[in-house]
């Protein structure tokens, strides 16, 4: 199981990132929310990179139909599900939902994680060539299957966020 560290942080009103990235963090992915209010950093390191970082365990990863292209955006769906529905939720994601969305042109990769603590506990992360990928007929078809219609009402505490790369000069200090 691959481990990934996650840090959410606020961006200042002037757009500068208040985040200081610890020196040993080399494998870092940084994203800014569409509204510019907050950022998300991911790091692949063996030990916690610093205060506030949360550990994620990877449940599933699939290369997408557009694998190899540079991501323009990062779409994240975070949710909880009641314990009695977790098995059905996870089987749906593993067998239908994540493979279906990964196969959509414009999807570079699709991954699922589970927080080791805190909520929402499940994260589905999609690296995309463009935000318009979410409006493609193929994407919408996967979201509207009969199985999806049975599982989606089980979601609790759900957040959906589109992230973009921060503008040049707004990256955190190292």
């Amino acid at each position: 199981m691959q481990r990934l560290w996650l840090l959410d942080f606020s961006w200042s009103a002037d757009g500068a990132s208040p985040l200081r990235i610890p020196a040993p963090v080399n494998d870092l992915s940084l994203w800014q929310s569409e509204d510019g209010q907050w950022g998300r950093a991911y790091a692949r390191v063996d030990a916690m990179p610093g205060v506030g970082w949360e550990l994620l365990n990877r449940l599933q990863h699939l290369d997408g139909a557009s694998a190899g292209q540079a991501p323009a955006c990062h779409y994240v769906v975070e949710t909880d599900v009641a314990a009695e529905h977790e098995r059905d939720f996870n089987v749906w994601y593993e067998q239908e939902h994540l493979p279906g969305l990964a196969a959509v042109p414009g999807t570079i990769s699709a991954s699922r994680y589970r927080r080791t603590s805190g909520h929402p506990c499940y994260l589905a992360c999609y690296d995309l060539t463009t935000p318009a990928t979410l409006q493609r007929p193929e994407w919408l078809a996967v979201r509207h299957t009969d199985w999806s219609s049975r599982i989606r009402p089980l979601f609790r505490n759900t957040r959906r966020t589109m992230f973009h790369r921060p503008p040049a000069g707004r990256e955190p200090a190292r």
Side-chain angles (χ1 to χ4, degrees):
M1 186 176 309
Q2 277 203 344
R3 295 158 32 118
L4 184 69
W5 292 93
L6 163 72
L7 179 67
D8 287 329
F9 59 94
S10 296
W11 290 77
S12 65
D14 66 3
S17 169
L19 182 64
R20 298 275 184 251
I21 302 298
V25 176
N26 294 321
D27 190 6
L28 180 76
S29 178
L30 182 67
W31 299 94
Q32 186 175 24
S33 63
E34 229 172 14
D35 65 7
Q37 299 297 305
W38 61 289
R40 174 160 281 183
Y42 297 99
R44 284 182 173 74
V45 292
D46 293 331
M48 184 189 315
V51 176
W53 289 82
E54 299 177 70
L55 180 60
L56 304 177
N57 286 322
R58 188 165 82 183
L59 302 174
Q60 188 177 8
H61 173 82
L62 298 169
D63 287 337
S66 298
Q69 294 186 36
C73 56
H74 179 71
Y75 179 61
V76 181
V77 178
E78 300 171 79
T79 196
D80 288 318
V81 65
E84 65 267 20
H85 299 297
E86 277 188 299
R87 183 182 181 289
D88 291 339
F89 170 82
N90 286 309
V91 169
W92 166 73
Y93 250 119
E94 291 165 12
Q95 293 181 9
E96 180 185 90
H97 202 64
L98 206 71
L101 295 178
V104 174
T107 303
I108 296 166
S109 67
S111 300
R112 292 185 59 229
Y113 298 91
R114 183 180 173 109
R115 277 186 167 90
T116 57
S117 63
H119 293 276
C121 107
Y122 288 100
L123 292 84
C125 302
Y126 306 92
D127 285 340
L128 307 172
T129 58
T130 173
T133 302
L134 300 183
Q135 302 308 315
R136 291 187 62 96
E138 302 95 323
W139 185 281
L140 297 173
V142 172
R143 292 199 67 236
H144 294 101
T145 66
D146 289 342
W147 199 356
S148 293
S149 295
R150 288 192 308 273
I151 297 297
R152 195 164 287 106
L154 305 175
F155 286 21
R156 301 289 179 263
N157 194 24
T158 304
R159 293 189 300 219
R160 291 175 175 84
T161 311
M162 182 65 74
F163 293 93
H164 298 278
R165 295 280 183 202
R170 302 284 169 96
E171 298 89 358
R174 288 187 181 255

